[in-house]
Amino acid sequence: LRAFPSDGKPGETTELMNEYNQNVTLKNTLVKGYYPSRHRWGVDARDYIEAFVYSSLNDMEKATEEDEKLIKAHWPDEAKRKEFFAKLGKYFEPWHGDAIFKHVPELRKMPAPAK
């Protein structure tokens, strides 16, 4: 869930997420697809979900290690790295849920198109 801190600045979340995604998510060759989704209507538009696509569970695990390398490469100074993530972190609630899904085309309900 997104948070709305009292000291937040308009557009700062987008700016921070763009910096992270441009320098980490999109440079990670193990990430085959990235789909952020935000619910803009409703009570307070807090819903925010990110879907990452990997070729395998093994790649998903390796991608975490690659993210760590990319983070250290973009923010080599530990103090600046901590500052960045503290700033980004204030825009999100301190909890999250994880789910892993697997696409199995053979289990689709619709028949495959005729050849």
Side-chain angles (χ1 to χ4, degrees):
L1 287 179
R2 294 177 61 234
F4 300 100
S6 59
D7 63 341
K9 299 174 185 157
E12 188 171 43
T13 308
T14 302
E15 179 183 309
L16 295 168
M17 288 298 294
N18 283 344
E19 181 177 356
Y20 181 85
N21 287 324
Q22 291 296 321
N23 294 288
V24 180
T25 305
L26 299 177
K27 287 185 178 181
N28 190 327
T29 58
L30 296 166
V31 176
K32 301 300 178 193
Y34 170 65
Y35 302 94
S37 181
R38 178 175 159 218
H39 191 257
R40 293 195 179 260
W41 294 273
V43 177
D44 59 10
R46 289 177 169 275
D47 295 338
Y48 183 78
I49 297 170
E50 294 176 297
F52 296 84
V53 178
Y54 304 96
S55 293
S56 68
L57 289 174
N58 192 36
D59 281 357
M60 184 171 71
E61 194 171 314
K62 288 179 186 176
T64 302
E65 295 168 11
E66 184 63 21
D67 281 350
E68 290 174 15
K69 291 177 189 173
L70 291 165
I71 287 167
K72 288 179 180 175
H74 184 69
W75 295 279
D77 181 292
E78 186 176 352
K80 290 187 182 205
R81 185 168 55 241
K82 285 182 178 182
E83 179 185 338
F84 175 85
F85 284 103
K87 194 184 295 186
L88 178 62
K90 74 180 180 180
Y91 287 101
F92 295 93
E93 296 292 334
W95 67 273
H96 72 279
D98 291 326
I100 298 173
F101 298 93
K102 181 176 181 175
H103 176 66
V104 182
E106 297 82 7
L107 297 177
R108 327 188 304 195
K109 290 184 179 184
M110 302 277 300
K115 293 181 180 179

mmCIF file of all heavy atoms in Angstrom, residues 70-101:
data_model
loop_
_atom_site.group_PDB
_atom_site.id
_atom_site.type_symbol
_atom_site.label_atom_id
_atom_site.label_comp_id
_atom_site.label_asym_id
_atom_site.label_seq_id
_atom_site.Cartn_x
_atom_site.Cartn_y
_atom_site.Cartn_z
ATOM 1 N N LEU A 70 23.237 -4.126 -8.725
ATOM 2 C CA LEU A 70 22.849 -2.913 -9.455
ATOM 3 C C LEU A 70 22.606 -1.749 -8.503
ATOM 4 O O LEU A 70 22.942 -0.599 -8.824
ATOM 5 C CB LEU A 70 21.609 -3.191 -10.305
ATOM 6 C CG LEU A 70 21.824 -4.141 -11.492
ATOM 7 C CD1 LEU A 70 20.499 -4.638 -12.039
ATOM 8 C CD2 LEU A 70 22.640 -3.461 -12.577
ATOM 9 N N ILE A 71 22.032 -2.028 -7.346
ATOM 10 C CA ILE A 71 21.803 -0.983 -6.340
ATOM 11 C C ILE A 71 23.133 -0.401 -5.880
ATOM 12 O O ILE A 71 23.318 0.819 -5.827
ATOM 13 C CB ILE A 71 20.990 -1.540 -5.149
ATOM 14 C CG1 ILE A 71 19.529 -1.753 -5.569
ATOM 15 C CG2 ILE A 71 21.085 -0.630 -3.932
ATOM 16 C CD1 ILE A 71 18.711 -2.587 -4.588
ATOM 17 N N LYS A 72 24.074 -1.270 -5.568
ATOM 18 C CA LYS A 72 25.393 -0.799 -5.109
ATOM 19 C C LYS A 72 26.148 -0.073 -6.210
ATOM 20 O O LYS A 72 26.903 0.852 -5.937
ATOM 21 C CB LYS A 72 26.201 -1.963 -4.558
ATOM 22 C CG LYS A 72 25.666 -2.428 -3.221
ATOM 23 C CD LYS A 72 26.445 -3.594 -2.662
ATOM 24 C CE LYS A 72 25.846 -4.002 -1.323
ATOM 25 N NZ LYS A 72 26.473 -5.198 -0.783
ATOM 26 N N ALA A 73 25.935 -0.473 -7.463
ATOM 27 C CA ALA A 73 26.589 0.212 -8.580
ATOM 28 C C ALA A 73 26.016 1.615 -8.768
ATOM 29 O O ALA A 73 26.755 2.570 -9.032
ATOM 30 C CB ALA A 73 26.432 -0.600 -9.863
ATOM 31 N N HIS A 74 24.690 1.768 -8.628
ATOM 32 C CA HIS A 74 24.074 3.087 -8.831
ATOM 33 C C HIS A 74 24.249 4.005 -7.624
ATOM 34 O O HIS A 74 24.403 5.216 -7.786
ATOM 35 C CB HIS A 74 22.588 2.948 -9.165
ATOM 36 C CG HIS A 74 21.945 4.262 -9.480
ATOM 37 N ND1 HIS A 74 22.236 4.973 -10.630
ATOM 38 C CD2 HIS A 74 21.053 5.013 -8.786
ATOM 39 C CE1 HIS A 74 21.541 6.096 -10.631
ATOM 40 N NE2 HIS A 74 20.815 6.147 -9.533
ATOM 41 N N TRP A 75 24.209 3.438 -6.427
ATOM 42 C CA TRP A 75 24.402 4.211 -5.201
ATOM 43 C C TRP A 75 25.614 3.643 -4.456
ATOM 44 O O TRP A 75 25.462 2.959 -3.437
ATOM 45 C CB TRP A 75 23.167 4.134 -4.295
ATOM 46 C CG TRP A 75 21.943 4.756 -4.864
ATOM 47 C CD1 TRP A 75 21.622 6.085 -4.875
ATOM 48 C CD2 TRP A 75 20.840 4.091 -5.496
ATOM 49 N NE1 TRP A 75 20.411 6.280 -5.482
ATOM 50 C CE2 TRP A 75 19.904 5.071 -5.868
ATOM 51 C CE3 TRP A 75 20.556 2.753 -5.789
ATOM 52 C CZ2 TRP A 75 18.711 4.757 -6.514
ATOM 53 C CZ3 TRP A 75 19.378 2.439 -6.438
ATOM 54 C CH2 TRP A 75 18.472 3.435 -6.786
ATOM 55 N N PRO A 76 26.828 3.890 -4.944
ATOM 56 C CA PRO A 76 28.012 3.303 -4.314
ATOM 57 C C PRO A 76 28.251 3.821 -2.890
ATOM 58 O O PRO A 76 28.786 3.103 -2.051
ATOM 59 C CB PRO A 76 29.163 3.684 -5.239
ATOM 60 C CG PRO A 76 28.659 4.823 -6.059
ATOM 61 C CD PRO A 76 27.175 4.691 -6.111
ATOM 62 N N ASP A 77 27.844 5.047 -2.621
ATOM 63 C CA ASP A 77 28.001 5.619 -1.284
ATOM 64 C C ASP A 77 26.886 5.084 -0.386
ATOM 65 O O ASP A 77 25.701 5.340 -0.635
ATOM 66 C CB ASP A 77 27.939 7.148 -1.375
ATOM 67 C CG ASP A 77 28.127 7.816 -0.040
ATOM 68 O OD1 ASP A 77 27.231 7.689 0.824
ATOM 69 O OD2 ASP A 77 29.176 8.466 0.147
ATOM 70 N N GLU A 78 27.248 4.339 0.652
ATOM 71 C CA GLU A 78 26.248 3.699 1.508
ATOM 72 C C GLU A 78 25.307 4.705 2.169
ATOM 73 O O GLU A 78 24.106 4.452 2.279
ATOM 74 C CB GLU A 78 26.935 2.849 2.582
ATOM 75 C CG GLU A 78 25.953 2.053 3.395
ATOM 76 C CD GLU A 78 26.615 1.139 4.406
ATOM 77 O OE1 GLU A 78 27.850 1.017 4.381
ATOM 78 O OE2 GLU A 78 25.888 0.560 5.221
ATOM 79 N N ALA A 79 25.823 5.851 2.577
ATOM 80 C CA ALA A 79 24.978 6.863 3.220
ATOM 81 C C ALA A 79 23.928 7.388 2.238
ATOM 82 O O ALA A 79 22.760 7.543 2.596
ATOM 83 C CB ALA A 79 25.832 8.004 3.750
ATOM 84 N N LYS A 80 24.326 7.635 0.982
ATOM 85 C CA LYS A 80 23.376 8.124 -0.021
ATOM 86 C C LYS A 80 22.369 7.037 -0.390
ATOM 87 O O LYS A 80 21.210 7.327 -0.648
ATOM 88 C CB LYS A 80 24.116 8.621 -1.256
ATOM 89 C CG LYS A 80 24.870 9.905 -0.971
ATOM 90 C CD LYS A 80 25.471 10.494 -2.205
ATOM 91 C CE LYS A 80 26.236 11.725 -1.764
ATOM 92 N NZ LYS A 80 26.412 12.711 -2.754
ATOM 93 N N ARG A 81 22.818 5.791 -0.390
ATOM 94 C CA ARG A 81 21.924 4.668 -0.675
ATOM 95 C C ARG A 81 20.858 4.574 0.412
ATOM 96 O O ARG A 81 19.669 4.477 0.127
ATOM 97 C CB ARG A 81 22.751 3.379 -0.754
ATOM 98 C CG ARG A 81 21.985 2.166 -1.165
ATOM 99 C CD ARG A 81 22.883 0.986 -1.524
ATOM 100 N NE ARG A 81 23.824 0.606 -0.498
ATOM 101 C CZ ARG A 81 25.151 0.612 -0.622
ATOM 102 N NH1 ARG A 81 25.705 1.002 -1.756
ATOM 103 N NH2 ARG A 81 25.931 0.224 0.352
ATOM 104 N N LYS A 82 21.279 4.648 1.660
ATOM 105 C CA LYS A 82 20.327 4.594 2.778
ATOM 106 C C LYS A 82 19.365 5.770 2.731
ATOM 107 O O LYS A 82 18.174 5.630 2.993
ATOM 108 C CB LYS A 82 21.068 4.566 4.114
ATOM 109 C CG LYS A 82 21.700 3.236 4.408
ATOM 110 C CD LYS A 82 22.377 3.241 5.766
ATOM 111 C CE LYS A 82 22.966 1.874 6.069
ATOM 112 N NZ LYS A 82 23.584 1.819 7.390
ATOM 113 N N GLU A 83 19.880 6.944 2.392
ATOM 114 C CA GLU A 83 19.046 8.145 2.285
ATOM 115 C C GLU A 83 17.987 7.966 1.199
ATOM 116 O O GLU A 83 16.819 8.300 1.400
ATOM 117 C CB GLU A 83 19.929 9.350 1.972
ATOM 118 C CG GLU A 83 19.177 10.651 1.817
ATOM 119 C CD GLU A 83 20.086 11.800 1.391
ATOM 120 O OE1 GLU A 83 21.308 11.726 1.612
ATOM 121 O OE2 GLU A 83 19.554 12.765 0.814
ATOM 122 N N PHE A 84 18.387 7.430 0.033
ATOM 123 C CA PHE A 84 17.448 7.207 -1.061
ATOM 124 C C PHE A 84 16.332 6.266 -0.630
ATOM 125 O O PHE A 84 15.152 6.556 -0.812
ATOM 126 C CB PHE A 84 18.158 6.650 -2.301
ATOM 127 C CG PHE A 84 17.195 6.291 -3.397
ATOM 128 C CD1 PHE A 84 16.755 7.254 -4.289
ATOM 129 C CD2 PHE A 84 16.707 4.997 -3.529
ATOM 130 C CE1 PHE A 84 15.848 6.943 -5.301
ATOM 131 C CE2 PHE A 84 15.806 4.667 -4.527
ATOM 132 C CZ PHE A 84 15.369 5.636 -5.408
ATOM 133 N N PHE A 85 16.693 5.132 -0.039
ATOM 134 C CA PHE A 85 15.680 4.147 0.330
ATOM 135 C C PHE A 85 14.821 4.606 1.500
ATOM 136 O O PHE A 85 13.651 4.235 1.590
ATOM 137 C CB PHE A 85 16.320 2.775 0.570
ATOM 138 C CG PHE A 85 16.680 2.100 -0.721
ATOM 139 C CD1 PHE A 85 17.998 2.072 -1.162
ATOM 140 C CD2 PHE A 85 15.705 1.543 -1.521
ATOM 141 C CE1 PHE A 85 18.325 1.478 -2.363
ATOM 142 C CE2 PHE A 85 16.023 0.943 -2.737
ATOM 143 C CZ PHE A 85 17.343 0.916 -3.159
ATOM 144 N N ALA A 86 15.351 5.426 2.367
ATOM 145 C CA ALA A 86 14.540 6.002 3.447
ATOM 146 C C ALA A 86 13.503 6.956 2.859
ATOM 147 O O ALA A 86 12.331 6.951 3.251
ATOM 148 C CB ALA A 86 15.423 6.725 4.455
ATOM 149 N N LYS A 87 13.925 7.756 1.880
ATOM 150 C CA LYS A 87 13.005 8.692 1.225
ATOM 151 C C LYS A 87 11.932 7.937 0.465
ATOM 152 O O LYS A 87 10.746 8.251 0.568
ATOM 153 C CB LYS A 87 13.792 9.600 0.272
ATOM 154 C CG LYS A 87 13.020 10.809 -0.196
ATOM 155 C CD LYS A 87 13.798 11.646 -1.216
ATOM 156 C CE LYS A 87 15.026 12.273 -0.632
ATOM 157 N NZ LYS A 87 15.684 13.200 -1.588
ATOM 158 N N LEU A 88 12.338 6.912 -0.286
ATOM 159 C CA LEU A 88 11.367 6.106 -1.033
ATOM 160 C C LEU A 88 10.437 5.357 -0.084
ATOM 161 O O LEU A 88 9.228 5.299 -0.297
ATOM 162 C CB LEU A 88 12.097 5.117 -1.946
ATOM 163 C CG LEU A 88 11.236 4.168 -2.773
ATOM 164 C CD1 LEU A 88 10.338 4.951 -3.733
ATOM 165 C CD2 LEU A 88 12.120 3.186 -3.540
ATOM 166 N N GLY A 89 10.994 4.813 0.969
ATOM 167 C CA GLY A 89 10.226 4.012 1.912
ATOM 168 C C GLY A 89 9.106 4.754 2.615
ATOM 169 O O GLY A 89 8.097 4.150 2.987
ATOM 170 N N LYS A 90 9.248 6.050 2.769
ATOM 171 C CA LYS A 90 8.190 6.798 3.471
ATOM 172 C C LYS A 90 6.899 6.882 2.654
ATOM 173 O O LYS A 90 5.847 7.197 3.192
ATOM 174 C CB LYS A 90 8.672 8.193 3.872
ATOM 175 C CG LYS A 90 8.795 9.186 2.738
ATOM 176 C CD LYS A 90 9.286 10.530 3.234
ATOM 177 C CE LYS A 90 9.418 11.513 2.093
ATOM 178 N NZ LYS A 90 9.898 12.802 2.558
ATOM 179 N N TYR A 91 6.972 6.541 1.364
ATOM 180 C CA TYR A 91 5.784 6.584 0.510
ATOM 181 C C TYR A 91 5.048 5.243 0.441
ATOM 182 O O TYR A 91 4.089 5.103 -0.306
ATOM 183 C CB TYR A 91 6.163 7.028 -0.909
ATOM 184 C CG TYR A 91 6.500 8.499 -0.969
ATOM 185 C CD1 TYR A 91 7.821 8.925 -0.998
ATOM 186 C CD2 TYR A 91 5.498 9.458 -0.954
ATOM 187 C CE1 TYR A 91 8.137 10.274 -1.040
ATOM 188 C CE2 TYR A 91 5.795 10.812 -0.994
ATOM 189 C CZ TYR A 91 7.120 11.209 -1.035
ATOM 190 O OH TYR A 91 7.414 12.539 -1.070
ATOM 191 N N PHE A 92 5.505 4.273 1.216
ATOM 192 C CA PHE A 92 4.872 2.960 1.223
ATOM 193 C C PHE A 92 4.679 2.478 2.654
ATOM 194 O O PHE A 92 5.509 2.740 3.519
ATOM 195 C CB PHE A 92 5.715 1.943 0.436
ATOM 196 C CG PHE A 92 5.801 2.276 -1.021
ATOM 197 C CD1 PHE A 92 6.851 3.026 -1.521
ATOM 198 C CD2 PHE A 92 4.807 1.867 -1.890
ATOM 199 C CE1 PHE A 92 6.915 3.362 -2.865
ATOM 200 C CE2 PHE A 92 4.862 2.199 -3.239
ATOM 201 C CZ PHE A 92 5.917 2.941 -3.723
ATOM 202 N N GLU A 93 3.576 1.776 2.882
ATOM 203 C CA GLU A 93 3.319 1.193 4.196
ATOM 204 C C GLU A 93 4.402 0.151 4.475
ATOM 205 O O GLU A 93 4.920 -0.463 3.547
ATOM 206 C CB GLU A 93 1.932 0.549 4.238
ATOM 207 C CG GLU A 93 0.785 1.538 4.070
ATOM 208 C CD GLU A 93 0.639 2.495 5.242
ATOM 209 O OE1 GLU A 93 1.050 2.147 6.367
ATOM 210 O OE2 GLU A 93 0.122 3.599 5.030
ATOM 211 N N PRO A 94 4.743 -0.062 5.744
ATOM 212 C CA PRO A 94 5.872 -0.952 6.066
ATOM 213 C C PRO A 94 5.548 -2.451 6.019
ATOM 214 O O PRO A 94 6.110 -3.226 6.765
ATOM 215 C CB PRO A 94 6.242 -0.514 7.476
ATOM 216 C CG PRO A 94 4.974 -0.031 8.057
ATOM 217 C CD PRO A 94 4.223 0.613 6.921
ATOM 218 N N TRP A 95 4.642 -2.864 5.185
ATOM 219 C CA TRP A 95 4.346 -4.293 5.027
ATOM 220 C C TRP A 95 4.001 -4.558 3.574
ATOM 221 O O TRP A 95 3.679 -3.655 2.819
ATOM 222 C CB TRP A 95 3.195 -4.725 5.944
ATOM 223 C CG TRP A 95 1.893 -4.106 5.570
ATOM 224 C CD1 TRP A 95 1.424 -2.903 5.992
ATOM 225 C CD2 TRP A 95 0.919 -4.616 4.664
ATOM 226 N NE1 TRP A 95 0.210 -2.638 5.411
ATOM 227 C CE2 TRP A 95 -0.121 -3.686 4.594
ATOM 228 C CE3 TRP A 95 0.827 -5.782 3.916
ATOM 229 C CZ2 TRP A 95 -1.245 -3.877 3.795
ATOM 230 C CZ3 TRP A 95 -0.297 -5.965 3.128
ATOM 231 C CH2 TRP A 95 -1.314 -5.021 3.085
ATOM 232 N N HIS A 96 4.091 -5.798 3.173
ATOM 233 C CA HIS A 96 3.730 -6.187 1.820
ATOM 234 C C HIS A 96 3.365 -7.663 1.804
ATOM 235 O O HIS A 96 3.602 -8.378 2.762
ATOM 236 C CB HIS A 96 4.869 -5.902 0.839
ATOM 237 C CG HIS A 96 6.030 -6.841 0.990
ATOM 238 N ND1 HIS A 96 6.989 -6.650 1.965
ATOM 239 C CD2 HIS A 96 6.363 -7.960 0.321
ATOM 240 C CE1 HIS A 96 7.870 -7.629 1.869
ATOM 241 N NE2 HIS A 96 7.529 -8.438 0.886
ATOM 242 N N GLY A 97 2.796 -8.087 0.721
ATOM 243 C CA GLY A 97 2.473 -9.493 0.534
ATOM 244 C C GLY A 97 3.196 -10.007 -0.699
ATOM 245 O O GLY A 97 3.483 -9.254 -1.615
ATOM 246 N N ASP A 98 3.531 -11.262 -0.676
ATOM 247 C CA ASP A 98 4.191 -11.879 -1.821
ATOM 248 C C ASP A 98 3.316 -13.000 -2.358
ATOM 249 O O ASP A 98 2.674 -13.717 -1.591
ATOM 250 C CB ASP A 98 5.541 -12.480 -1.420
ATOM 251 C CG ASP A 98 6.574 -11.436 -1.065
ATOM 252 O OD1 ASP A 98 6.555 -10.362 -1.685
ATOM 253 O OD2 ASP A 98 7.408 -11.688 -0.176
ATOM 254 N N ALA A 99 3.317 -13.153 -3.652
ATOM 255 C CA ALA A 99 2.623 -14.265 -4.289
ATOM 256 C C ALA A 99 3.427 -14.656 -5.515
ATOM 257 O O ALA A 99 3.974 -13.802 -6.209
ATOM 258 C CB ALA A 99 1.210 -13.876 -4.686
ATOM 259 N N ILE A 100 3.512 -15.943 -5.752
ATOM 260 C CA ILE A 100 4.219 -16.442 -6.927
ATOM 261 C C ILE A 100 3.200 -17.194 -7.779
ATOM 262 O O ILE A 100 2.511 -18.082 -7.289
ATOM 263 C CB ILE A 100 5.385 -17.366 -6.531
ATOM 264 C CG1 ILE A 100 6.406 -16.587 -5.705
ATOM 265 C CG2 ILE A 100 6.034 -17.968 -7.781
ATOM 266 C CD1 ILE A 100 7.507 -17.454 -5.127
ATOM 267 N N PHE A 101 3.121 -16.818 -9.034
ATOM 268 C CA PHE A 101 2.199 -17.450 -9.960
ATOM 269 C C PHE A 101 2.989 -18.071 -11.102
ATOM 270 O O PHE A 101 4.043 -17.570 -11.479
ATOM 271 C CB PHE A 101 1.213 -16.422 -10.539
ATOM 272 C CG PHE A 101 0.349 -15.789 -9.499
ATOM 273 C CD1 PHE A 101 0.714 -14.602 -8.893
ATOM 274 C CD2 PHE A 101 -0.836 -16.394 -9.111
ATOM 275 C CE1 PHE A 101 -0.086 -14.021 -7.926
ATOM 276 C CE2 PHE A 101 -1.640 -15.821 -8.147
ATOM 277 C CZ PHE A 101 -1.267 -14.629 -7.554
#
